[in-house]
């Protein structure tokens, strides 16, 4: 499924931040999804980690509750969007001020992405359905029926269900 730039890569950055366990994982999630951030100070990583904690409830919430959660984040993170060109890219929107720094950019980018996704396809956000797994995901599958964070988690659940049926048969 193709999303607009803020609903796609930005929402994927949000999921990666929610799932990150270290500063290097925070940075890797941003870079993997196209953010031009080369390094984070310990303070920036701590602030972005705290922001990730605030993003998690959006993934875990029922679909109807997501708009209110994202609006709360938008009130804190967003500023006026503007069109920019940089690094040879065509004109595109930025939701943070040019001098916002990595923390401001991450807050605006992830919140903008979640806002677009909640408006366009709120059912595409989730937390893995495997018991004990708390991994957030953005469903980019064609049919939009994803329930697990990975094939590995899906396989574990399906094998366990199969074995349970064999025992009771």
């Amino acid at each position: 499924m193709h999303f607009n730039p803020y609903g796609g890569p930005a929402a994927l950055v949000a999921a990666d931040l929610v799932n990150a366990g270290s500063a290097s994982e925070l940075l890797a999630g941003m870079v993997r999804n196209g953010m031009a951030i080369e390094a984070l100070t310990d303070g920036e990583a701590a602030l972005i980690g705290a922001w990730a904690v605030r993003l998690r409830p959006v993934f875990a919430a029922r679909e109807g509750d997501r708009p209110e959660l994202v609006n709360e984040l938008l009130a804190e993170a967003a500023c006026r969007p503007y069109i920019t060109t940089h690094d040879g890219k065509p004109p595109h929107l930025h939701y943070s001020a040019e001098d916002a720094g990595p923390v401001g950019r991450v807050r605006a980018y992830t919140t903008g992405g979640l806002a677009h996704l909640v408006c366009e396809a709120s059912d595409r956000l989730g937390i893995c359905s495997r018991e004990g797994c708390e991994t957030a995901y953005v469903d980019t599958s064609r049919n939009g029926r994803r329930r697990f964070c990975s094939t590995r988690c899906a396989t574990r659940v399906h094998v366990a269900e199969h074995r349970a049926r064999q025992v009771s048969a």
Side-chain angles (χ1 to χ4, degrees):
M1 175 164 191
H2 296 285
F3 299 110
N4 68 55
Y6 275 84
L12 293 171
V13 168
D16 281 348
L17 295 181
V18 168
N19 297 326
S22 67
S24 62
E25 289 177 1
L26 287 171
L27 184 60
M30 291 182 274
V31 171
R32 179 176 39 256
N33 291 294
M35 286 193 78
I37 295 178
E38 295 178 16
L40 296 172
T41 67
D42 290 343
E44 290 167 340
L47 290 170
I48 292 170
W51 183 251
V53 170
R54 304 256 330 268
L55 296 174
R56 177 173 281 285
V58 177
F59 288 88
R62 291 184 332 213
E63 195 173 335
D65 295 334
R66 289 184 176 138
E68 182 178 338
L69 292 170
V70 173
N71 277 335
E72 290 172 11
L73 297 171
L74 282 168
E76 184 176 333
C79 69
R80 289 188 289 165
Y82 67 96
I83 299 171
T84 185
T85 58
H86 58 84
D87 302 327
K89 294 180 182 177
H92 59 281
L93 285 173
H94 273 208
Y95 283 79
S96 63
E98 289 183 60
D99 61 350
V103 175
R105 288 176 49 213
V106 166
R107 285 180 175 184
Y109 189 59
T110 55
T111 306
L114 290 175
H116 279 282
L117 193 52
V118 164
C119 290
E120 295 171 8
S122 186
D123 60 331
R124 297 286 184 144
L125 296 171
I127 299 288
C128 185
S129 293
R130 184 178 66 82
E131 188 174 323
C133 184
E134 294 294 319
T135 303
Y137 65 84
V138 176
D139 182 356
T140 58
S141 69
R142 181 179 286 214
N143 68 5
R145 300 180 132 213
R146 185 170 168 185
R147 295 184 317 139
F148 302 100
C149 66
S150 66
T151 304
R152 184 178 197 166
C153 276
T155 300
R156 282 180 155 174
V157 168
H158 294 133
V159 166
E161 289 171 350
H162 173 75
R163 288 180 179 157
R165 284 192 304 271
Q166 297 303 318
V167 170
S168 66

